[in-house]
């Protein structure tokens, strides 16, 4: 019953008031919270009032005049959507007069609307059509004589949806959705009266406007004015299956609307707790890669990477992979092979890969892409707070008074969360941005950061220490919180450290490049906040001092008492859909599931008893160690599921040299990615639409992934791992991913209460889920830290080894862009390339002018690791001395120039600090020319296999 109510549109948003009001609607008593609209109260009482402009995802607007009601003691006919309930109010929703008024309003709408319902793409899902039926409209007296809007042309510029203004009833829902839900303010109402029409920007096309194609306007539209092109082509769906988005770490819940096994469209689930009915251009529209012609659907093998691929049966491919792994171990030893867990695959699939490595390979040589993104988060938060994860829900930001964003670009990397954050900022929360680049959050419609601390790349620790210096020296500490919740000795040592003069903003200004007064004012603002929340990303972790910076952030939160309640916390914004989950389920070489060290004999014995094998007590190789071991001849075999380490890991030429030195690489993926071009066995992977399982997002939320279509290659990824393990002599007998989750729950205390039945019942669960928290833990560290007392840690700033010189005078930093995702394997195979078709190098006008670089010109970027060529984008987003690029296209070679410098604690690469020189060029780099030749050869070798 609750789910049914939640999935219905109740007309206006929920009221959070605790006071209850009782009124009478159509003779029935209804009790609702104060502030509830009459429309919503009626809907909760199972009385549906006609509406067009109202929806419970937007604030009431009161323009359509269909929801009129009669209220005893009041004159006229008030709109129920904008009328709040009052105690004792008596409301009538049906009368002859109301019927006459509503029918008259509908008649006016229809008089300027095409009557092509039978061929209209919204037929069967049109609120205007529904309301015509509800109001009993049977004829339209006015006809089409005189002025009308029927001849207005469609805007087909957007690749995913069409805008047909002739069908627009100017209800304003799309405009309000763009403002309230997305926060882009790209749509407006142009003109007045009869001339009023919805327009994008200043009467621009949607593609030329500021529209970010999140789909909120399409979802809000009650007619066919805004319609997905997939709906126009395929027609209305027959059924839907709720699943979880496979892009970023927000973990949006989506309804896959289906016709048989074909996806018609993806719609954000209204009841999804991570996204609450919103999505972005990737999750909403960029799912076509799942059926792209480039999909690998048949297993292939070859002896050398210069050989043509040979398509074989699953049995032959798996037998060959298993025999090669056993041959290598017999020749080079048990530790000569290993595996990489994907942060894009499910928890269950990742769990099986690490189990395969430990139980079937017999070693701990397993790692995950979290090594190269958020491993410092795991280390830093474990040391200070006691748990390797963020502390809050995304919804918690709605209670924040001051928001500090460090090294993250939410509008591009985590757009649905960014929309939630921007809404809170528009309500009055203050914003501090710490970033070398002027990201959109610094200033965008109705939002402006109070402080943008535009530090030099690589100086996060210096900045955090100077903020702490101000908080301590000016008496802004939360002494009561510290005394009650934190380790006194550690705090005293930390306080003495941050009070040292060299940590003052004045001294640190020479390092960070940020004026001391700005730092002092920002520190005061954060410390004085009722609720101060910190959100950070890869701009914190991907540094030589990434772990140190994470610990410094935790220090700030503890020092100001901003832990353990809504609106505060330390919140890492995870990059990929299951980075958190891949870490949770034991994919690091030193940890078993639940972040328990392999050297712990008690924990190890528990897994040995469950798995029936003896496990190694020493940690295995991390990804960088695997490369080094491959080059020295001791690591010769790799099972890589769902990761593209050639494109995503630093110093590409070093990575490819290591892969070329191996004797057998088994890649399991949906495309012939850059790593697969070095493989000897290519096992077809399955997309998120083709499997059951779970993802865990950045707020520790475990959500169901549900199969909506059969795997194109016949098997889901977990089934392939099971089959490989069986051939290696270690039996796995799972018949469904739910059984794998049951095993995870039995062996992992934080997952103890997780099951598919509970997930289906609750929608999602945030770990820890156990006897103490059977419904999960939305907020961590509420009464005590997981480790007991919070531990302050000294964060001494140590400059990176990567220094600017006369030869390399600029600092390169990297990041993502909204329309593309990670290595781009998925989004490059969708219409998202219309927004971002190549990686570009952003450079400040001063640096460009000094080098004779014009906007759009080709430039060579040289580093100590390598050289590549990109097109320049001259922009004041950058500060002088700093350049920036994305890494979504393999031919760009962004990671050809990043070095192997890494975090001192975790080996997370220092992607964000690379010393470079940038100069105009006329041709591609030597690496790019070599890559083009190699890529062409590998594609031909794959095409040969398909043709055989």
């Amino acid at each position: 019953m609750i789910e049914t109510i939640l999935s219905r549109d109740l007309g206006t948003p929920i009221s959070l008031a605790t006071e209850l009001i009782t009124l009478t609607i159509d003779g029935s008593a209804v009790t609702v919270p104060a502030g509830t609209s009459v429309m919503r109260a009626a809907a909760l009482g199972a009385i549906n009032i006609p509406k067009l402009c109202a929806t419970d995802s937007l604030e009431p607007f009161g323009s359509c005049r269909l929801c009129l009601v009669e209220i005893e003691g009041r004159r006229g006919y008030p709109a129920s959507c904008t009328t709040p309930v009052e105690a004792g109010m008596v409301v009538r929703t049906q009368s002859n007069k109301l019927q006459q008024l509503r029918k008259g309003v509908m008649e006016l709408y229809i008089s300027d609307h095409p009557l092509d319902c039978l061929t209209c793409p919204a037929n069967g899902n049109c609120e205007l059509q529904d309301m015509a039926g509800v109001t009993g409209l049977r004829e339209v007296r006015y006809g089409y004589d005189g002025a009308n809007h029927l001849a207005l042309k469609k805007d087909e510029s957007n690749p995913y949806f069409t805008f047909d203004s002739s069908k627009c009833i100017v209800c304003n829902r799309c405009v309000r959705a763009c403002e309230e839900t997305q926060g882009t303010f790209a749509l407006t109402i142009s003109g007045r009266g009869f001339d009023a029409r919805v327009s994008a920007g200043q009467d621009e096309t949607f593609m030329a406007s500021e529209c970010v194609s999140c789909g909120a306007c399409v979802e809000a539209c009650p007619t066919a004015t805004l319609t997905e092109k997939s709906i126009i082509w395929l027609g209305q769906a027959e059924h839907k299956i709720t699943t979880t988005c496979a892009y970023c770490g927000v973990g949006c819940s989506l309804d896959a609307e289906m016709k048989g096994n074909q996806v018609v469209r993806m719609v954000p689930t209204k009841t999804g707790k991570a996204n609450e009915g919103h999505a972005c251009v990737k999750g909403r529209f960029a799912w076509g890669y799942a059926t792209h012609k480039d999909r690998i659907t048949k297993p292939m093998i070859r002896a050398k990477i210069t050989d043509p691929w040979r398509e074989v049966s699953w049995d032959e491919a798996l037998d060959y992979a298993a025999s090669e792994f056993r041959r290598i171990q017999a020749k080079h030893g048990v530790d000569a092979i290993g595996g990489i867990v994907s942060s894009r695959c499910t928890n269950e699939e990742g769990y099986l890969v690490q189990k395969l490595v430990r139980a079937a390979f017999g070693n701990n040589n397993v790692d995950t892409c979290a090594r190269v993104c958020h491993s410092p988060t795991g280390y830093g938060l474990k040391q200070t707070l006691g748990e390797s994860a963020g502390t809050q829900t995304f919804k918690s930001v709605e209670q924040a008074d001051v928001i500090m964003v460090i090294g993250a670009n939410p509008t591009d990397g985590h757009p649905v969360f960014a929309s939630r954050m921007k809404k809170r900022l528009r309500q009055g929360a203050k914003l501090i941005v710490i970033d070398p680049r002027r990201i959109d959050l610094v200033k965008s419609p109705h939002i402006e950061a109070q402080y943008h601390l535009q530090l030099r790349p690589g100086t996060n620790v210096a900045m955090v220490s100077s903020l702490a210096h101000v908080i301590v020296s000016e008496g802004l500490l939360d002494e009561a919180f510290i005394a009650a919740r934190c380790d006194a000795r550690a705090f005293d040592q930390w306080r003495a450290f941050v009070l040292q003069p060299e940590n003052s903003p004045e001294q640190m200004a020479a390092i960070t490049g940020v004026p001391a007064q700005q730092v002092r004012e920002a520190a005061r603002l954060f410390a004085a906040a009722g609720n101060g929340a910190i959100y950070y990303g890869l701009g914190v972790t991907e540094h030589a001092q990434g772990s140190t910076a994470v610990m410094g952030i935790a220090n700030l939160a503890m020092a100001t008492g901003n832990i353990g309640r809504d609106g505060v916390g330390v919140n890492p914004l995870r990059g990929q859909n299951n980075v958190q989950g891949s870490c949770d389920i034991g994919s690091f070489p030193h940890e078993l599931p639940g972040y328990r060290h392999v050297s712990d004999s008690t924990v190890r014995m528990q897994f040995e008893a469950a798995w029936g094998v003896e496990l190694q007590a020493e940690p295995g190789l991390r990804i960088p160690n695997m490369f080094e071991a491959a080059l020295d001849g001791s690591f010769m075999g790799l099972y890589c599921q769902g990761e593209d380490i050639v494109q995503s890991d630093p110093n590409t030429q070093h990575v490819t040299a290591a892969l070329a030195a191996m004797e057998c690489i088994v890649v399991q993926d949906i495309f012939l990615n850059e790593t697969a071009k070095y493989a000897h066995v290519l096992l077809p992977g399955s997309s998120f639409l083709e499997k059951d399982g779970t993802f865990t997002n950045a707020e520790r939320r475990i959500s169901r992934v549900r199969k909506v279509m059969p795997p194109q290659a016949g098997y889901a990824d977990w089934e392939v791992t099971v089959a490989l393990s069986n051939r290696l002599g270690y039996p796995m007998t799972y018949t469904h991913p739910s059984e794998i989750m049951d095993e995870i729950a039995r062996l992992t205390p934080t997952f103890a209460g997780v099951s598919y039945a509970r997930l289906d019942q609750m929608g999602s669960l945030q770990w820890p889920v156990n006897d103490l928290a059977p419904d999960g833990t939305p907020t961590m560290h509420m009464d005590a830290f997981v480790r007991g007392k919070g531990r302050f840690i000294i964060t001494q700033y140590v400059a990176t080894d990567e220094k600017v010189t006369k030869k390399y005078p600029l600092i390169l930093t990297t990041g993502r862009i909204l329309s593309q995702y990670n290595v781009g394997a998925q989004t490059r195979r969708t219409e998202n390339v219309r927004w971002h078709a190549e990686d570009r190098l952003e450079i400040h006008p001063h640096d460009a002018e000094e080098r004779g670089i014009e906007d759009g010109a080709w430039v060579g970027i040289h580093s100590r690791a390598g050289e590549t060529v990109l097109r320049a984008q001259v922009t004041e987003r950058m500060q002088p001395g700093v350049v920036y690029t994305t890494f979504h296209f393999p031919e760009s070679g962004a990671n050809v120039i990043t070095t192997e410098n890494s975090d001192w604690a975790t080996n997370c690469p220092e992607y964000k600090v690379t010393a470079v020189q940038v100069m105009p060029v006329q041709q591609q780099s030597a690496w790019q020319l070599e890559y083009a030749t190699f890529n062409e050869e590998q594609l031909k070798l794959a095409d040969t296999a398909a043709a055989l």
Side-chain angles (χ1 to χ4, degrees):
M1 178 63 182
I2 293 175
E3 179 66 25
T4 302
I5 291 174
L6 288 175
S7 61
R8 286 171 49 209
D9 192 323
L10 304 180
T12 60
I14 189 172
S15 169
L16 300 178
T18 56
E19 179 189 0
L20 295 179
I21 299 293
T22 299
L23 69 160
T24 301
I25 304 178
D26 291 348
S28 299
V30 179
T31 301
V32 294
T36 300
S37 70
V38 169
M39 174 180 285
R40 186 180 182 93
L44 291 170
I47 298 168
N48 295 316
I49 299 174
K51 64 184 189 299
L52 276 174
C53 72
T55 177
D56 57 13
S57 62
L58 302 171
E59 293 301 317
F61 194 63
S63 71
C64 75
R65 312 312 294 168
L66 270 185
C67 70
L68 307 179
V69 294
E70 296 175 348
I71 301 176
E72 282 190 7
R74 291 198 188 182
R75 299 177 60 185
Y77 304 92
S80 60
C81 66
T82 56
T83 303
V85 298
E86 295 179 4
M89 179 182 279
V90 178
V91 179
R92 284 188 296 275
T93 70
Q94 300 294 333
S95 71
N96 289 336
K97 184 60 179 178
L98 288 172
Q99 179 70 2
Q100 181 183 10
L101 291 170
R102 291 169 181 161
K103 188 179 292 188
V105 169
M106 277 304 304
E107 192 174 4
L108 291 172
Y109 279 124
I110 299 301
S111 70
D112 192 16
H113 195 85
L115 296 180
D116 58 352
C117 291
L118 289 179
T119 57
C120 178
N123 188 21
N125 189 26
C126 175
E127 293 180 46
L128 185 70
Q129 190 180 66
D130 293 341
M131 290 305 102
V134 166
T135 58
L137 184 64
R138 298 293 177 259
E139 62 178 341
V140 179
R141 293 167 291 171
Y142 307 117
Y144 290 144
D145 293 338
N148 59 56
H149 300 96
L150 302 183
L152 293 177
K153 292 183 179 179
K154 296 180 182 179
D155 177 359
E156 301 278 10
S157 62
N158 190 284
Y160 294 122
F161 59 82
T162 185
F163 174 64
D164 185 353
S165 188
S166 71
K167 295 186 176 181
C168 180
I169 61 173
V170 199
C171 66
N172 228 286
R173 271 167 55 167
C174 60
V175 178
R176 290 149 56 208
C178 190
E179 295 174 0
E180 297 177 26
T181 304
Q182 170 57 29
T184 297
F185 293 82
L187 303 183
T188 188
I189 301 294
S190 300
R192 302 182 66 180
F194 177 80
D195 294 325
R197 308 309 292 167
V198 169
S199 68
Q202 299 297 312
D203 291 320
E204 301 167 291
T205 64
F206 270 78
M207 279 298 284
S209 74
E210 295 298 314
C211 170
V212 294
S213 297
C214 67
C217 60
V218 180
E219 184 63 16
C221 182
T223 68
T225 305
L226 286 157
T227 306
E228 296 96 334
K229 289 182 176 179
S230 59
I231 289 285
I232 295 173
W233 175 246
L234 297 171
Q236 294 293 330
E238 300 166 347
H239 66 282
K240 67 180 180 181
I241 301 172
T242 301
T243 189
T244 302
C245 182
Y247 281 116
C248 77
V250 174
C252 293
S253 180
L254 299 171
D255 287 334
E257 297 193 354
M258 311 291 298
K259 293 183 77 171
N261 291 328
Q262 184 175 34
V263 179
V264 173
R265 65 174 178 175
M266 300 290 282
V267 179
T269 312
K270 184 177 171 182
T271 54
K273 294 177 183 176
N275 58 318
E276 294 187 334
H278 192 33
C280 77
V281 62
K282 295 189 287 287
R284 184 71 157 84
F285 297 116
W287 40 266
Y289 70 87
T291 52
H292 194 273
K293 61 181 178 59
D294 289 350
R295 281 289 299 270
I296 300 298
T297 58
K298 295 182 179 179
M300 298 191 292
I301 62 174
R302 59 183 177 179
K304 302 188 300 294
I305 67 169
T306 53
D307 292 343
W309 284 104
R310 182 165 62 89
E311 285 187 356
V312 297
S313 67
W314 274 104
D315 285 339
E316 183 175 352
L318 290 165
D319 287 342
Y320 181 78
S323 66
E324 280 293 281
F325 283 152
R326 285 298 180 232
R327 178 188 65 78
I328 291 170
Q329 287 187 307
K331 178 181 177 182
H332 299 283
V334 69
D335 294 326
I337 63 175
I340 294 179
V341 172
S342 175
S343 292
R344 288 182 286 176
C345 291
T346 64
N347 287 317
E348 294 76 6
E349 289 162 344
Y351 176 83
L352 288 192
V353 172
Q354 64 86 33
K355 182 178 180 179
L356 172 87
V357 171
R358 301 187 201 278
F361 289 4
N363 61 52
N364 287 319
N365 294 335
V366 62
D367 209 349
T368 179
C369 90
R371 170 72 54 213
V372 300
C373 61
H374 266 286
S375 52
T377 285
Y379 181 87
L381 296 186
K382 187 80 169 181
Q383 296 298 311
T384 51
L385 309 182
E387 192 57 271
S388 303
T391 63
Q392 314 293 127
T393 65
F394 288 137
K395 193 173 180 65
S396 169
V397 76
E398 297 174 6
Q399 306 301 318
D401 299 308
V402 175
I403 300 168
M404 184 182 291
V405 177
I406 309 179
N409 186 5
T411 54
D412 279 21
H414 304 83
V416 171
F417 169 70
S419 293
R420 200 190 287 264
M421 178 188 288
K422 289 190 292 183
K423 186 173 184 177
R424 178 58 186 153
L425 293 171
R426 292 195 301 273
Q427 293 170 346
K430 307 300 182 184
L431 175 65
I432 301 165
V433 173
I434 303 176
D435 201 289
R437 184 168 171 261
R438 183 168 55 79
I439 60 174
D440 286 343
L441 273 180
V442 172
K443 188 172 183 179
S444 56
H446 303 281
I447 292 171
E448 185 168 2
Q450 275 60 46
Y451 298 98
H452 177 203
L453 308 183
Q454 196 168 12
L455 77 177
R456 296 188 182 112
T459 64
N460 287 326
V461 172
M463 174 59 68
V464 170
S465 293
S466 61
L467 290 167
H469 178 93
V470 177
I471 291 168
V472 174
S473 64
E474 297 189 5
L476 303 176
L477 293 163
D478 189 332
E479 300 279 6
F481 179 90
I482 295 166
R485 299 284 305 276
C486 300
D487 181 276
R489 183 180 178 186
F491 169 69
D492 288 342
Q493 292 172 340
W494 174 80
R495 177 166 54 184
F497 162 73
V498 297
L499 280 174
Q500 294 172 2
E502 56 264 35
N503 287 321
S504 69
E506 287 73 19
Q507 294 282 345
M508 286 295 189
I511 295 171
T512 65
V514 180
Q517 189 60 28
Q518 286 187 27
V519 177
R520 286 192 175 275
E521 291 175 4
R524 292 165 188 155
L525 176 63
F526 182 75
N531 287 331
I534 303 175
Y535 294 87
Y536 71 89
L538 304 185
V540 165
T541 57
E542 291 178 343
H543 286 274
Q545 282 198 289
S547 293
T548 311
V550 171
M551 292 187 290
I553 288 170
N555 290 340
L556 282 182
M558 290 188 292
T560 54
N562 282 305
I563 291 281
R565 63 183 185 276
D566 279 348
V568 300
V570 177
N571 305 279
L573 296 175
R574 304 284 188 165
Q576 296 196 65
N577 54 297
N578 203 36
V579 170
Q580 182 68 60
S582 68
C583 299
D584 298 340
I585 51 79
S587 60
F588 288 129
H590 66 293
E591 289 177 333
L592 290 160
Y595 304 97
R596 291 166 294 168
H597 205 278
V598 294
S599 64
D600 186 325
S601 59
T602 302
V603 173
R604 201 171 60 254
M605 286 173 60
Q606 180 186 6
F607 281 89
E608 288 175 339
W611 292 352
V613 294
E614 184 176 345
L615 301 178
Q616 283 191 359
E618 293 297 321
L621 298 176
R622 297 172 174 179
I623 291 174
N625 307 133
M626 293 180 188
F627 297 153
E628 295 300 328
L631 290 170
D632 70 21
S634 61
F635 185 83
M636 293 287 102
L638 179 67
Y639 175 43
C640 183
Q641 183 191 77
E643 287 297 338
D644 192 356
I645 53 178
V646 169
Q647 190 178 340
S648 63
D649 281 39
N651 196 344
T652 300
Q653 294 174 93
H654 180 71
V655 175
T656 55
L659 296 184
M662 295 185 196
E663 295 180 5
C664 183
I665 296 172
V666 178
V667 168
Q668 186 173 339
D669 216 300
I670 62 176
F671 297 116
L672 182 72
N673 62 24
E674 302 309 303
T675 304
K677 293 167 186 173
Y678 290 85
H680 307 90
V681 180
L682 183 51
L683 304 176
S686 53
S687 74
F688 80 111
L689 296 171
E690 301 162 38
K691 63 180 73 171
D692 285 296
T694 58
F695 294 150
T696 306
N697 74 351
E699 51 174 1
R700 296 170 285 103
R701 187 179 302 281
I702 307 163
S703 301
R704 284 278 280 115
V705 180
R706 295 180 176 87
K707 183 166 70 175
V708 306
M709 61 174 68
Q712 287 201 9
Y715 296 102
D717 290 321
W718 68 270
E719 294 175 295
V720 176
T721 305
V722 165
L724 178 59
S725 183
N726 290 334
R727 281 168 171 79
L728 286 166
Y730 180 78
M732 291 187 184
T733 58
Y734 310 100
T735 61
H736 190 269
S738 61
E739 298 169 4
I740 307 171
M741 177 53 73
D742 291 342
E743 181 174 315
I744 295 171
R746 286 195 301 272
L747 294 171
T748 312
T750 50
F751 279 61
V754 179
S755 68
Y756 280 25
R758 287 285 286 141
L759 289 170
D760 290 342
Q761 176 190 2
M762 299 293 292
S764 61
L765 290 165
Q766 289 175 268
W767 66 259
V769 187
N770 49 36
D771 290 342
L772 295 177
D775 294 335
T777 310
T779 303
M780 295 283 286
H781 316 295
M782 290 185 67
D783 300 315
F785 289 103
V786 170
R787 68 180 311 278
K789 294 286 188 178
R791 180 186 176 200
F792 284 85
I793 295 180
I794 291 173
T795 53
Q796 182 70 52
Y797 169 70
V798 178
T800 173
D801 291 338
E802 184 71 359
K803 302 291 196 299
V804 294
T805 62
K806 287 185 179 180
K807 186 176 181 180
Y808 304 111
L810 303 174
I811 289 291
L812 168 74
T813 188
T814 62
R816 295 174 178 171
I817 199 164
L818 171 63
S819 59
Q820 295 291 342
Y821 173 69
N822 206 42
V823 297
Q826 295 148 277
T827 44
R828 282 187 281 109
R829 290 177 170 88
T830 70
E831 291 290 341
N832 280 30
V833 293
R834 293 272 298 275
W835 287 276
H836 189 76
E838 63 179 358
D839 295 317
R840 290 200 171 201
L841 184 81
E842 294 186 10
I843 184 169
H844 188 272
H846 171 78
D847 293 327
E849 183 179 4
E850 194 174 63
R851 291 163 174 77
I853 296 170
E854 296 183 356
D855 189 61
W858 292 104
V859 294
I861 307 105
H862 304 252
S863 76
R864 294 180 176 93
E867 175 187 356
T868 193
V869 172
L870 299 174
R871 202 186 301 270
Q873 182 175 343
V874 180
T875 172
E876 292 190 352
R877 277 182 178 269
M878 305 311 302
Q879 58 177 292
V882 180
V883 293
Y884 169 91
T885 190
T886 51
F887 51 89
H888 304 301
F889 291 79
E891 63 271 17
S892 299
N895 282 323
V896 170
I897 49 179
T898 54
T899 69
E900 293 178 76
N901 290 343
S902 64
D903 174 51
W904 62 271
T906 66
N907 279 137
C908 182
E910 191 175 36
Y911 292 109
K912 305 306 183 188
V913 183
T914 303
V916 298
Q917 177 60 288
V918 178
M919 297 299 289
V921 296
Q922 298 299 320
Q923 63 180 12
Q924 292 182 310
S925 69
W927 176 86
Q928 286 170 313
L929 295 173
E930 292 172 5
Y931 168 80
T933 300
F934 176 75
N935 182 58
E936 184 178 358
E937 291 171 350
Q938 290 299 316
L939 292 177
K940 284 181 179 178
L941 294 175
D943 288 342
T944 301
L948 292 177

